[in-house]
Amino acid sequence: MAYLTPIAVIFSVYVIYKYLVYPIFVSPLSKIPNAHFSSCFSSLWILWKRYKEEENKTIHAAHSKHGNIVRLGPNEVSIACVDEGIRTVYSGGFEKWSWYPNQFNNYGVPNMFSMVDSKPHSIRKRMISNVYSKSYLQSSPELHQISKTMIFSRLLSLLQEASTKRQALDVLELNFSSTMDFIIAFIFGLQNSTNFLQDIPSRKHWLSIYQSRRPYRFWDGELPGVASFLKKLGIHIVPAWVADASRELEAWTLEKCTAAASSIPPSSKESPSPIHPSPTATEPIVYTQLHTPLALSTPPPPTPSLLPFLIATELHDHLAAGHETSGITLTYLMHELSLRPSLQSALRTELLTLSPPLTYPPPQSPTHDHDHIDIPTPRSIDSLPLLHACLTETLRLHAAIPGPQPRITPSTPTSLAGSPPLPAGVRVSAQAYTLHRNAAVFPEPEKWKPERWLNAGEEKEREMGRWFWTFGSGGRMCVGRHFAVQEMKLIVAAIYTNFTTHIVDDEGIEQVDAYTAGPRGNKLVLSFEHVE
């Protein structure tokens, strides 16, 4: 047995060197300031912060103390700068961390957002990016018809009724409903859309299922192996009903896909080019755009039965992200405006310059319905400076996704923010929360000041734009950003043309400190007063 002693010594020396000596003294990361004293040899500290939903502010505090690069764990760093920072990491060569597929795959199938490698992502993006381009969206007759229906037949009529009855509304839920109805109609066609604005039971059921899974996302993203191991031991750290909820939502999306497939006109099989959309039915734009190239892709799907899931996983991600992030943004914009009656008045003055105006009730058509009523062009709404400034400042201060976007360093050693060249396989991330709070770029960064976007000169505006990271940057930049901005500007324009809003209950309005950050109280209750 004596020969075991040298082996034990060698093994002990190896373990000490690998897990203590190397990460603390030898690793290139050892030259980077530690966010916590344990960061150089353990990830437990940052994992605990993520689990407790204290990550964004904790990382921001570390950057405020130590500079543009900090070490979060033995093999993890965070960056907070543009040059030698996000331009290097997010503009090429750094693939996504496994955190993405662990969290965002649907049906067990990757989508564009969860794909780790850039090549398949680029192929998928080319299939659909044109229908999310600004030029396409601003000229789309389909989206024009969807917008008229959502604004006049649903949203404004609902708000008018609430105003007349003096009923306060939870606008977080209202905004989730508006943005879901918009994105579903664009993806699957107006006739296949949700009507969450008016169908309250369906809305509440869907949102409750969707939101109930949130407390357990940590395990899928950060420690899937631990959750799986404990499950084998009979310890369900993630309850079985979480998977059941996901399956119900996925089945719901598959039903939408089936309905959309039957809605595609024969002439639109190759490319969506609608000419005269119906007042009650429109072409399923995104579904149509995705179906044909996936069916004809090279190489083709491994089995024909996989094709519906390749489509559904993509569209499920679009509708999930599309309703949640825009709904959160609208809620914080309405909260900021509700605190400032004079700004509401100034915004209304600007909105009344639109032609035709978005006033409600609208002038009655001969048929006494809303089908013949028009709305201002997206270009005219987009050009309003005060509206643009209010939305942009909300996207900065109240980013719906302020959390880190993890990537992995490539095989070629790369220096970041003045660090030594980092080896392959290091987890590196930046977060909008910190980039948007650079006081040298955004003076008084914790204050909501839309005037910073109105009064900036060309050079200052360009610099703020470099640090503005709500939609990410590089090839993985949010594909739906133009849709989100066009939709949100229209909704805000419609509301504040006709109503003033007043806070009834904003308890818990502070954002949760998480990757996706809605109000901690999960509500914002406002009253609506019609402007004559």
Side-chain angles (χ1 to χ4, degrees):
M1 298 293 291
Y3 69 91
L4 290 177
T5 302
I7 294 177
V9 170
I10 292 172
F11 179 75
S12 299
V13 170
Y14 170 78
V15 169
I16 291 171
Y17 178 80
K18 182 176 181 180
Y19 294 103
L20 289 176
V21 176
Y22 179 80
I24 296 175
F25 301 108
V26 181
S27 167
L29 278 67
S30 65
K31 308 299 188 295
I32 298 171
N34 293 314
H36 185 260
F37 79 89
S38 66
S39 298
C40 54
F41 60 84
S42 173
S43 295
L44 289 177
W45 169 78
I46 191 60
L47 287 172
W48 179 244
K49 292 297 183 181
R50 287 173 182 145
Y51 177 74
K52 293 177 64 181
E53 294 191 335
E54 297 176 354
E55 179 180 20
N56 302 335
K57 291 181 180 179
T58 297
I59 292 176
H60 180 62
H63 280 296
S64 298
K65 181 178 181 180
H66 297 294
N68 288 333
I69 185 167
V70 294
R71 191 180 188 181
L72 303 179
N75 200 45
E76 181 178 359
V77 299
S78 173
I79 53 172
C81 55
V82 175
D83 298 324
E84 291 192 10
I86 59 173
R87 289 183 62 181
T88 301
V89 174
Y90 297 91
S91 295
F94 288 64
E95 304 291 14
K96 283 192 168 183
W97 189 261
S98 59
W99 179 84
Y100 288 92
N102 290 344
Q103 287 234 69
F104 298 106
N105 280 359
N106 306 305
Y107 315 94
V109 179
N111 51 66
M112 190 166 67
F113 186 68
S114 68
M115 290 173 179
V116 170
D117 296 330
S118 56
K119 185 174 181 180
H121 169 271
S122 297
I123 294 171
R124 180 69 56 82
K125 185 177 180 180
R126 284 196 295 270
M127 294 179 184
I128 61 172
S129 59
N130 70 302
V131 297
Y132 280 114
S133 69
K134 189 171 185 177
S135 59
Y136 183 94
L137 294 169
Q138 289 189 341
S139 61
S140 168
E142 300 279 350
L143 187 53
H144 186 78
Q145 180 57 49
I146 290 168
S147 299
K148 289 200 301 180
T149 300
M150 298 301 172
I151 295 301
F152 282 111
S153 298
R154 300 186 188 179
L155 178 62
L156 290 180
S157 61
L158 184 155
L159 296 181
Q160 178 72 9
E161 181 181 5
S163 174
T164 301
K165 295 181 178 179
R166 299 184 182 276
Q167 292 177 336
L169 297 174
D170 177 2
V171 297
L172 177 64
E173 190 171 303
L174 180 82
N175 289 327
F176 283 155
S177 302
S178 299
T179 53
M180 176 63 94
D181 290 353
F182 259 100
I183 189 63
I184 290 286
F186 187 63
I187 293 173
F188 297 112
L190 185 57
Q191 67 279 20
N192 304 312
S193 174
T194 53
N195 188 358
F196 282 176
L197 276 169
Q198 296 172 326
D199 186 354
I200 296 176
S202 294
R203 170 216 302 177
K204 288 187 176 294
H205 176 70
W206 196 96
L207 290 175
S208 67
I209 294 174
Y210 180 83
Q211 294 169 355
S212 66
R213 305 168 303 157
R214 185 172 170 272
Y216 303 98
R217 300 302 292 267
F218 166 82
W219 298 102
D220 289 336
E222 299 293 342
L223 298 171
V226 171
S228 178
F229 175 73
L230 292 175
K231 185 177 180 181
K232 292 176 182 178
L233 297 179
I235 302 172
H236 294 273
I237 198 166
V238 179
W241 63 259
V242 175
D244 293 339
S246 294
R247 281 191 290 269
E248 181 176 344
L249 294 172
E250 290 172 352
W252 182 85
T253 301
L254 280 172
E255 291 175 3
K256 293 293 182 186
C257 289
T258 300
S262 64
S263 303
I264 303 176
S267 61
S268 298
K269 294 294 183 180
E270 295 299 324
S271 177
S273 54
I275 299 175
H276 299 294
S278 162
T280 58
T282 59
E283 186 177 344
I285 295 295
V286 185
Y287 179 91
T288 302
Q289 185 73 3
L290 192 59
H291 178 272
T292 298
L294 277 177
L296 301 177
S297 62
T298 303
T303 62
S305 61
L306 183 60
L307 178 60
F309 298 101
L310 289 174
I311 297 172
T313 187
E314 193 65 56
L315 301 184
H316 189 78
D317 179 70
H318 291 208
L319 68 90
H323 92 274
E324 188 172 22
T325 56
S326 296
I328 290 170
T329 302
L330 285 169
T331 298
Y332 280 103
L333 176 48
M334 294 174 72
H335 182 256
E336 295 288 1
L337 286 173
S338 298
L339 293 170
R340 300 166 174 84
S342 61
L343 184 58
Q344 289 189 56
S345 179
L347 179 60
R348 186 172 301 107
T349 299
E350 180 180 81
L351 295 172
L352 289 173
T353 65
L354 292 169
S355 181
L358 284 163
T359 51
Y360 189 91
Q364 291 298 311
S365 65
T367 56
H368 298 285
D369 60 39
H370 298 157
D371 294 343
H372 301 284
I373 297 168
D374 208 354
I375 58 176
T377 66
R379 288 182 180 86
S380 65
I381 298 174
D382 191 46
S383 67
L384 298 176
L386 182 55
L387 175 62
H388 180 76
C390 289
L391 177 59
T392 305
E393 181 67 352
T394 305
L395 290 166
R396 181 197 70 83
L397 183 59
H398 301 294
I401 300 182
Q405 306 286 350
R407 298 293 191 266
I408 184 170
T409 52
S411 56
T412 303
T414 306
S415 176
L416 296 173
S419 75
L422 302 180
V426 175
R427 175 170 171 167
V428 55
S429 61
Q431 58 176 23
Y433 186 93
T434 295
L435 293 169
H436 290 176
R437 284 164 173 77
N438 183 341
V441 179
F442 305 104
E444 298 183 287
E446 294 292 348
K447 291 186 177 180
W448 188 80
K449 299 176 63 175
E451 60 270 20
R452 75 172 79 244
W453 302 93
L454 290 169
N455 302 331
E458 184 176 337
E459 184 177 345
K460 178 63 176 178
E461 187 172 357
R462 188 183 306 113
E463 181 66 3
M464 289 193 297
R466 283 179 4 108
W467 288 80
F468 182 77
W469 213 55
T470 296
F471 300 110
S473 58
R476 297 270 189 158
M477 194 174 186
C478 174
V479 72
R481 63 192 182 277
H482 297 304
F483 182 92
V485 169
Q486 181 170 319
E487 162 200 55
M488 289 190 288
K489 284 187 175 182
L490 175 60
I491 291 172
V492 173
I495 292 174
Y496 286 96
T497 294
N498 297 282
F499 302 96
T500 57
T501 57
H502 309 274
I503 295 172
V504 175
D505 182 1
D506 65 350
E507 184 179 1
I509 192 61
E510 66 275 7
Q511 288 181 273
V512 296
D513 190 358
Y515 178 74
T516 303
R520 191 169 295 278
N522 200 37
K523 71 178 189 307
L524 171 63
V525 182
L526 301 180
S527 63
F528 291 80
E529 181 181 351
H530 191 266
V531 179
E532 301 298 337

